[in-house]
Amino acid sequence: MFSYLSLKAQTCESWLTVVLCMDVGLTMSNSAPGEESSFELAKKVIQKFVQRQVFSETKIELALVLFGTDSTDNPLSQDGQYQNIRVHRHLRIPDCELLIEIENQVQPESKEGDWLDALVVCMDLLHTETKGKKYDCLNIALLTDLNTQTNEESLEVIINNLTQSGITMQFFLPFPVEEDKEGQGDSERRDPGHPGTGKGLSREQKKNMELVKEMMLSLDVEDGLDEIHTFRNAIEELCMFKRVERRPVAWPCQLTIGSSLSIRIVGYKAVTDEKPKKMWITVDAQSHQKDDVKRETVYCLDDDNETEVQKDDIIQGFRYGSDIVPFSKVDQEQMKYKHDGKCFAVLGFTKQSAVIHRHQFMGSQILKIFAARDDEHAGVALSALIRALNELQMVAIVRYAYNRTSNPQVGAAFPCIKQDSECLMYVQLPFMEDLRHFTFPSLENKKFTPSDAQLSAVDSLIDSMMLVEEDENGEQRDLFKPHRIPNPAFQRHFQCLHHRAVSPGTPLPPIEPWLKAALDRPEVITERCQDPLDVLKRKFPLTEVEKKKKLKTSVGSVDPARDFRALIKQKILPFGEVCQQLTHRIEQLLSNKNTQYYMKSITCIQAFREQSLANAEHYNSYLQSLKGSIPNRGLEVFWELLVQGMICLFT
Amino acid sequence: MRQSLHLSLVFTVNPETGLKAAPMAEWNAYYQNEDEEGEEEEGEHSGRDYKITGRDSLVFLVDASKEMFIKGEDGEPSNFDMTMQVVRTVYTSKIISSDKDLVALVFYGTEESKNPRNSFKHVYVYHDLSEPGAKRVQEVDALRGEKGAKLAAETIGSGETSLGDALWCCANLYSDIKLRLSHKRLMIFTCRDEPHGGDSVKDRQARTKASDLKETGVVIDLMHLMKPGGFDISLFFCDIVSPPEDESELGLQLQPSDKLEDLLKRVRAKELKKRALARLNLCLGEGINVAVGIYATAVAARKPGSIKLYRETNEPVRSKTRTFHTQTGSLLLPSEIKKAQYYGGKEIVMERDEVDAIKKFDDPGLFLIGFKPMEKLKLHHHIRPAVFLYPEEDEVKGSSCLFSALLKKCSERNVFALCRFISRRNYPPRFVALLPQNEELDEGKVQITPPGFNVIYLPFADDFRTLDPPQFPSASQTQVDKMKEIVSKLRFKYRSEGFENPVIQQHFRNLEALALDMMAPEEIEDLIMPKVDQIDQRLGPLVQEFKDLVYPAYYNPESKPAAKRKTADTGGGAEKKPKVELTEDELKAHVQNNTLVKLTVPVLKDACKQFGVRTTGTKKQELIDALIARLRS
């Protein structure tokens, strides 16, 4: 369900080059009532595909060729040949511009285009635009309903040409491919009830389908027919954004046991808490320019004048309990803990069961340690260690340091033996300083001890909610695999970015339904656990403890504006008194010459103003006096912010 | 070596006033979003805001009677000596992990008296309630060992005992503190079960004072020590100490400590107040919500951040950060700022609250998806340290019972619960495995592992990296057997508390040396350094035997592998590629066509230099962004 339609991207080491060739002709707009037309589906496919490429920033160049267009614009058109084919975009890195163009400019048109002719235009485009450059992977994706007249004489030449230039093909059609026509043999596997095939296809479509099959089977690929997709399947598979992929970086080192036994190894991050590649940058709201915004930090003494201190006059210090100890960077560098750098040294070995306190794993990653590439001797030596550990059910406790500047760690290296590879898996373990020994009251308490009836209710709940089950063939089926789900945070992030890029000025869309569903309890489980949950609910009374609601009696310092509004609403205290409490807080806040405090004062003044509409006397007089005191108190910066905050006196 | 050291002037912070007030909590949170750091690390929020919660405090009330100074058989340290060792350990660990906590050290049964108003005889306040600092550590050190016993005899001496007065004095220590105290604990260290020798008036007075203290929220613990003939709590102390947190637990049956390690363990278990990172609901289904608290039981301790000081006076300075418009110089309001990301040649702009809204999927909480057998939890499915789950009966009555039943059944059936977890507001969901953990006690009835669920964070598909593992032939059984001999020789018992972090230890030793004007910091022992000599000795000839089995004679694993020569047509190998200089037009064309990504990092760096673009970063994306910004304008 969550496989990634790759369009060859995964097998391609360097730049991938793709021509998307889409039929926008007359018949593409046909649709059964209540269904989306082939045009709409095909457009979705290219939209989703391009969107993935833009946001994953894969190494890809893309061109877009439309056929069936009203106009003709391609280098081969001459003497009435290659008509109704338009090169919409030449080979370039896909960008937001292309997304917007697809959204707005790719529209149904009313002519017929020959898909083989369009294919030739695409091949020509690949040929001329990649000339002199090194490209490994050239690919043409053709999206059409095959409902046009075709000049099939050129088929053989085209196939030869494709093979020679190493171009691979993919087809996206409204209907699935049939494998059981005469000449293909193997007719037993046919699913008789499969809709959409054979029946309802026009003569052209049937004929063209044969051409497509002939082409795909003659090209030098393993199973050519697998590269013929339906629009619907493609959309389903493309609906999620590509997972964040990062090239693994090799960490060569030596595993040492004592002074004279070492094994050449290489480590890779295998599992890690992946963060988004890009950060949000701050821009000016008007110009959207990052350079228009500047942040500046100044330092000052904690005296009445807030005397500013130059950066050069600042040194570093650290707390040592109640003391603050000045500690210059030079001294720190000289006195700090130093070590010999990169290492993976065995401290000793211990029983696995003693370390597998899963909850004591530290850090945010798992490293996989292999023997150095192309070093068979290291391979054998490491294999001996891995197998020895595995047979003894033990782990190595190691000192691990990534390099000279990183802090060394202590961790465990577990043996991991799979069918085709062996490795050590390293995970960081805690230092003494990291552990917090909390004690909690025992639950073996008469008050909390569940009765047998209660226990059996929990039992049936577990029974009904087991996510792993055996099917009739005795094979295990896992209904819910979090490690197959793409990180929803990234999916949502890109969905919103795409939306904003294509439709600026509109509110963000809701979370996509497929993503919501992927994060939820599987439907079978929801159904199955309904009765046990009802029983559970009856057996275990749960009552929320009512929190005494504290009635606000004064304007506090945490959120004065909120308290102020609440007090006015309560109408217990006189209006004047509440105002006085608020101004008192504002004055307190203003004694801290700091933008954050200023902003908080401003929210207070805004609340003050909004509650003073009926009676502006207090507000006006306070603001007058505040204004008067600005120069004396050196609050010009605050006043400027206040004025910018669009507050003006009632006049 | 460290000349600048002698110029150091230590600036001590008054615990009453502290450093100038930090900005209020909510504004902190607000400005954190401002940082360009991007997403905050989840789970790192164990630091607490003392402004809101108040401070923890701990008073060590130590018996200084003659009995405490009696050495054990075979020169075992005296009870007093052991206690001082514990106090020192707590002091230094507080300095490292919770330096805002307040600690006091008070002796009772002394000859000399010293207390704030000198109103109590035979009570000696050695340290009043304050943050422990370097000097205090030194002063406690001075009371250790042979010399320490002598010093104690000289300065405090042993005399009459009135626990009532001592407790009263401690009550004053608490009330003299102007700071808000959140957790107040008092630990009595003694080896005398009848401190007043049967004087019922004094006993009664002590009981009254103890109950006064308990009423003001002070928790009193007894750390009773070994006494010939056994320590009988029921004689007196059962009325002094606070009842255990939970009634069914008979905490008083604890055995007296005779080993430092035991005592330390008991003190450690109580010394830290546990605090929930969050309180939320574990939802099993519609309307079935169990209230739980989330606790961090393993948090990577880090070197604390530095404080900026004014060079001339060593006083801390305050920082003020302003955001303003580069051109007009006017200050920018939050509403005048937006957030953007650059993708596909376009600046995509969002409102600040939209950036938060994107991350919101649901309200914080745990939602049960189902259960899986324990073996389905893979060892390598690890992305961050676990947290701990315990019921909150105070929030939802009945939580403990259902939680307990769930724990029991999961444990019995060896299954874990799979949940969707949103830890805080505006945080995207993660999936977690709830692993049952049964309560375990040691022989002394001290809890080693608490009952509850460990919460293991599970990775998403994006968190796995695709590796291309090198393929090698497996080792033969002879080779494996030889390695098994090696492994067996180097067996040891791993303990998770066994390794100190040398980086942090060194940092604090350095600070200690500077604060106390010591000539050089105390040496640290790097416990995560392999003991190579011992290993070599233990293995003896095994290493050579193993090497003979797996390595050919000519092979040297220490040497760098011979650099592989590429085939001739790549041009002589060693020769560096000629530098590619881009013309401005070429570069502009790349910007135009959005093809900068196709250039290599060195080329981009050169281009930056060439066009005078200054960049802070060295990552490819940062270089590209900088170039685009420059060439667009």
Side-chain angles (χ1 to χ4, degrees), chain B residues 192-195 198 203 207 227 229-240 252:
Chain B
R192 295 184 296 160
D193 47 11
E194 281 185 293
D203 277 358
R207 275 190 219 111
K227 162 183 181 277
F231 194 110
D232 188 351
I233 293 171
S234 65
L235 287 176
F236 168 69
F237 274 101
C238 55
D239 297 332
I240 297 292
L252 299 183

Side-chain angles (χ1 to χ4, degrees), chain A residues 207-232:
Chain A
K207 193 182 114 200
N208 279 320
M209 196 65 204
E210 289 313 307
L211 297 179
V212 169
K213 280 196 269 189
E214 193 184 335
M215 176 186 287
M216 292 311 277
L217 291 167
S218 344
L219 288 176
D220 187 21
V221 277
E222 240 172 70
D223 197 348
L225 296 186
D226 283 355
E227 293 298 349
I228 306 174
H229 310 269
T230 65
F231 291 145
R232 284 196 189 281

Side-chain angles (χ1 to χ4, degrees), chain A residues 15 61 93 95-96 243-244 254 259-260 262 264 270 272-274 278 281-283 285 291-292 294 296-300 302 312-315 317 319-324 326 331 334-335 337 349-350 358-360 362-364 372-375 383 391 394 399 422 432-434 436 439-442 445 459 463 465 467 476 478 480 485 487 492-493 500 519 521 543 545 558 593 596-597 599-600 637 644, chain B residues 1-2 4 9 11 20 23-24 26-27 31 36 99 132 134 246 274 284 297 299 301 307 309 311 314 318 320-322 324 326 331 336-344 349 354 368 371-372 376 378 381-384 390 394-395 397 409 413 420 430 439 447 454 456 461-466 468 472 474-475 484 490-492 496 499-501 505 510 526 528-529 536 547 551 555 557-558 561 564 594 598:
Chain A
W15 284 76
E61 282 197 301
I93 294 173
D95 50 23
C96 289
R243 74 187 169 127
V244 172
Q254 283 171 8
S259 67
S260 50
S262 55
R264 291 182 49 225
T272 186
D273 192 352
E274 211 66 75
K278 290 190 181 180
I281 50 172
T282 305
V283 297
D291 290 344
D292 285 345
K294 203 171 169 202
E296 179 193 65
T297 304
V298 291
Y299 301 96
C300 59
D302 200 10
D312 293 346
D313 287 330
I314 286 171
I315 54 168
R319 266 181 175 280
Y320 185 77
S322 56
D323 309 322
I324 293 177
D331 282 347
Q334 211 165 61
M335 293 172 71
Y337 174 83
F349 300 95
T350 195
R358 256 314 285 261
H359 61 279
Q360 286 191 344
M362 299 296 288
S364 58
R373 266 176 210 281
D374 307 318
D375 187 338
S383 165
E391 286 176 26
M394 292 181 81
R399 173 196 178 93
E422 297 174 358
M432 185 262 276
E433 294 90 338
D434 305 338
R436 299 175 182 196
T439 41
F440 290 84
S442 173
N445 180 320
D459 245 339
D463 283 336
M465 293 185 81
L467 295 164
Q476 270 202 349
D478 193 336
F480 199 91
I485 301 176
N487 189 335
R492 173 77 178 140
H493 182 83
R500 184 50 47 90
L519 299 174
R521 211 177 259 176
T543 41
V545 177
V558 179
K593 295 212 176 63
Q596 296 155 41
Y597 287 88
M599 296 309 301
K600 197 163 169 174
V637 175
Q644 280 178 35
Chain B
M1 156 205 162
R2 300 185 270 111
S4 60
L9 211 162
F11 188 93
K20 188 78 174 202
M24 278 164 227
E26 69 208 272
W27 284 91
Y31 271 88
E36 312 293 73
D99 63 357
D246 116 65
K274 51 177 186 280
L284 307 185
T297 47
V299 181
I307 298 171
L309 308 175
R311 185 189 291 280
N314 282 348
R318 279 170 51 192
K320 294 193 288 192
T321 305
R322 288 192 293 241
F324 58 88
T326 321
L331 289 167
E336 292 171 313
I337 291 170
K338 287 187 182 178
K339 293 288 177 180
Q341 287 198 352
Y342 190 84
Y343 271 105
V349 180
E354 285 177 328
L368 177 66
F371 298 87
K372 283 191 187 187
K376 284 281 156 188
K378 296 286 177 270
H381 286 188
H382 167 74
I383 47 165
R384 68 177 67 158
Y390 189 83
D394 295 344
E395 305 272 326
K397 206 161 160 283
K409 279 297 162 192
R413 302 181 53 164
R420 188 178 63 221
R430 274 273 174 195
E439 185 181 23
Q447 191 178 67
N454 285 305
I456 309 289
D462 305 75
D463 299 324
F464 292 88
R465 298 199 174 177
T466 319
D468 167 29
F472 295 108
S474 295
K484 275 161 94 173
L490 299 179
R491 264 180 91 136
F492 77 113
S496 53
F499 300 97
E500 287 181 334
N501 186 338
Q505 291 297 332
N510 291 344
D526 187 347
I528 60 166
M529 206 60 182
D536 288 351
K547 287 209 279 199
Y551 293 155
Y555 178 81
E558 318 297 295
K564 263 189 287 173
N594 199 21
K598 298 183 85 173

Side-chain angles (χ1 to χ4, degrees), chain B residues 22-70:
Chain B
M24 278 164 227
E26 69 208 272
W27 284 91
N28 258 342
Y30 170 84
Y31 271 88
Q32 248 162 35
N33 295 339
E34 263 305 74
D35 288 345
E36 312 293 73
E37 313 266 298
E39 276 195 66
E40 305 159 53
E41 289 271 307
E42 217 177 316
E44 302 271 326
H45 293 269
S46 47
R48 4 192 277 259
D49 192 336
Y50 290 88
K51 292 278 154 200
I52 292 167
T53 58
R55 309 228 196 159
D56 283 1
S57 61
L58 172 61
V59 173
F60 292 108
L61 183 55
V62 181
D63 185 357
S65 65
K66 291 218 160 56
E67 288 89 329
M68 287 288 287
F69 289 91
I70 299 170

Side-chain angles (χ1 to χ4, degrees), chain A residues 284 292 640 644, chain B residues 324-332 336:
Chain A
D284 180 70
D292 285 345
E640 195 187 326
Q644 280 178 35
Chain B
F324 58 88
H325 196 278
T326 321
Q327 260 119 63
T328 65
S330 64
L331 289 167
L332 288 169
E336 292 171 313

Side-chain angles (χ1 to χ4, degrees), chain B residues 367-381:
Chain B
F367 178 78
L368 177 66
I369 301 286
F371 298 87
K372 283 191 187 187
M374 205 60 90
E375 69 268 13
K376 284 281 156 188
L377 182 66
K378 296 286 177 270
L379 198 65
H380 63 285
H381 286 188

